[in-house]
Amino acid sequence: MYCWISSEGRECSKVIGPASLSDRGGWTKVGERGLNKLVGKSKDHEYTLGEVAAVYLARGKKKTGEDKAESTKELHSQLVRAYIEPEFGDRVAMTIEPLEIQNWIDGLSKGIRPKVRNLMSAIYRHGQKFNMIPRREECNPLRWVSVGTTSDYEAKVVTPEQAWSIAENLPLYERTLIITDAATGCRVSECLALKWLDIEWERNQIKVQRAWVRGRIGPTKSRASKAPVPMHAILATILENWRKETPYAKDEDWVFPSFKLRGKQPRTASTMVADYIRPIAVKLGIIKKDEPRFGFHNFRHSLATFLISEGRNPDVVRRMLRQSHIDTTLIYTHMDSERIGAQGRMLGRMLPKTEAVQ
């Protein structure tokens, strides 16, 4: 429990963790929740945007009440540190004018504007929910701040043949990972977090249980992300061949471990992109040297584009990518065979016949 004295001399307290929490861990929690900023201030003082943002980062959840994905938490922390805190952190939240925010946001890059605006709006709503900001309409300036949602960025789409030309120039480890990523449409954070026990060989599917983001294991991006991924026989064979080669082949081992760390954790995707995937794609002329943001996510985009161009049912595509909110009654369970068939066509185009039948 963290205790502090308000400006009125009242003792305030907040439970921050279990009794077993160390002093160091406790102070970390205090900093994360911004509680240290409340010392000597009135219980009902006018909170700065920095104080409200600190509490939001520590306690904010999705509208459903679920915890945010680790990648989302990290992004929000970066946006607060890099943009919101330097500009408005010391300002009393309810006194910031809409036009101030609008003029400032208009000066940011197109890609970052909607992210900052939406995050600030969430911070204000959180502050009003927990009575840190008055619940009056005029105390939330984001209601009058508008931002276009269009971006100049368009993900580079690679054909199955181009995907294979990249994969065949990679070592076996990276080749297996990129084929798994391209064929399933899984996020690379989900591929890296796979353990061998997650692969249900007899049911021809892969269970997505967790995500590996910025050196930490966390939950998947959404509830829909936990839907099982179909596994075609070709992909199953490729994964079985990799299991025979890796020294970490026990059920509890990571499918794509860090050899440098003796299999204790998965590898880092950004390193593989920088060291292998991007240089090979440039060398093959698939992308230009200055092509922005090329990596594993491009293969996820490419799977969707390929399936749509093949005339696949959009519902099949959405289920493969696990992006939309899926009806819990699983109305589309009859599509499982179609999903596996679609994956097989992708692999059939992507891999040479000799590789596909091994």
Side-chain angles (χ1 to χ4, degrees):
M1 179 178 290
Y2 178 66
C3 301
W4 71 95
I5 303 297
S6 70
S7 61
E8 299 96 341
R10 294 172 55 189
E11 183 175 300
C12 306
S13 63
K14 185 77 176 178
V15 175
I16 58 174
S20 58
L21 190 67
S22 66
D23 286 347
R24 183 175 180 179
W27 283 112
T28 300
K29 291 286 187 183
V30 167
E32 287 177 348
R33 298 190 178 195
L35 297 177
N36 54 315
K37 298 181 180 181
L38 305 182
V39 177
K41 292 189 177 182
S42 168
K43 186 172 185 281
D44 301 316
H45 78 281
E46 295 180 335
Y47 289 87
T48 65
L49 187 59
E51 291 170 341
V52 181
V55 174
Y56 171 80
L57 292 176
R59 300 173 60 182
K61 296 179 180 290
K62 295 180 182 179
K63 291 180 180 179
T64 59
E66 298 174 298
D67 286 332
K68 293 187 179 74
E70 289 299 319
S71 56
T72 302
K73 292 180 183 177
E74 182 65 26
L75 173 62
H76 287 179
S77 295
Q78 290 176 355
L79 292 175
V80 168
R81 290 195 305 267
Y83 297 96
I84 299 173
E85 184 74 39
E87 189 69 21
F88 299 111
D90 294 330
R91 296 278 302 278
V92 174
M94 68 178 184
T95 66
I96 302 173
E97 293 291 328
L99 195 56
E100 290 182 79
I101 300 175
Q102 185 72 70
N103 291 336
W104 171 66
I105 282 184
D106 287 346
L108 302 178
S109 63
K110 281 187 177 181
I112 211 71
R113 289 175 199 168
K115 295 177 182 177
V116 170
R117 191 264 172 209
N118 292 340
L119 176 57
M120 286 188 73
S121 181
I123 290 171
Y124 268 91
R125 291 196 307 271
H126 186 84
Q128 290 181 311
K129 179 179 180 179
F130 288 94
N131 207 29
M132 299 177 77
I133 301 173
R135 293 173 189 157
R136 301 193 302 270
E137 187 176 88
E138 66 270 18
C139 293
N140 185 346
L142 273 300
R143 295 173 64 88
W144 292 276
V145 176
S146 58
V147 175
T149 57
T150 56
S151 171
D152 294 332
Y153 172 71
E154 185 175 340
K156 170 72 176 179
V157 174
V158 295
T159 65
E161 292 80 8
Q162 288 174 323
W164 170 247
S165 67
I166 294 173
E168 70 175 339
N169 282 279
L170 295 172
L172 180 60
Y173 180 118
E174 290 78 9
R175 185 193 314 163
T176 305
L177 175 58
I178 206 171
I179 291 173
T180 303
D181 179 68
T184 62
C186 283
R187 299 171 182 88
V188 69
S189 60
E190 296 164 347
C191 290
L192 290 171
L194 288 175
K195 294 186 175 184
W196 288 112
L197 57 80
D198 297 324
I199 302 176
E200 298 183 326
W201 307 98
E202 294 182 359
R203 301 182 67 180
N204 298 319
Q205 66 179 24
I206 300 171
K207 294 187 297 182
V208 179
Q209 307 276 51
R210 61 197 82 81
W212 173 249
V213 181
R214 293 178 176 86
R216 289 178 293 181
I217 286 292
T220 57
K221 195 165 186 179
S222 66
R223 185 179 299 175
S225 298
K226 288 191 173 183
V229 176
M231 179 176 62
H232 191 274
I234 296 174
L235 179 59
T237 300
I238 291 170
L239 288 169
E240 284 174 340
N241 288 340
W242 168 237
R243 192 172 191 178
K244 293 174 183 176
E245 297 295 327
T246 177
Y248 305 102
K250 296 178 182 178
D251 284 349
E252 285 290 340
D253 287 337
W254 303 107
V255 177
F256 300 105
S258 167
F259 290 172
K260 185 177 179 180
L261 297 177
R262 300 180 181 179
K264 293 181 180 178
Q265 67 181 47
R267 277 178 68 182
T268 304
S270 58
T271 303
M272 286 184 275
V273 171
D275 293 347
Y276 294 99
I277 297 174
R278 188 178 181 87
I280 290 174
V282 171
K283 182 179 179 181
L284 295 173
I286 294 173
I287 63 170
K288 296 178 181 179
K289 194 171 183 179
D290 59 351
E291 182 83 29
R293 296 168 57 184
F294 183 83
F296 286 101
H297 67 280
N298 293 84
F299 297 97
R300 180 174 163 86
H301 281 283
S302 299
L303 173 63
T305 301
F306 169 75
L307 295 176
I308 292 294
S309 68
E310 288 279 294
R312 296 302 102 198
N313 188 320
D315 286 318
V316 175
V317 180
R318 285 199 294 270
R319 289 192 67 207
M320 285 194 73
L321 299 183
R322 295 157 302 121
Q323 288 179 320
S324 59
H325 294 85
I326 305 299
D327 192 317
T328 53
T329 57
L330 298 179
I331 296 173
Y332 301 108
T333 50
H334 64 280
M335 292 181 183
D336 283 349
S337 60
E338 192 172 349
R339 292 165 71 199
I340 292 180
Q343 190 182 97
R345 283 186 287 278
M346 174 72 175
L347 287 165
R349 281 273 303 277
M350 179 179 172
L351 305 179
K353 296 186 184 302
T354 54
E355 185 78 17
V357 299
Q358 283 181 359

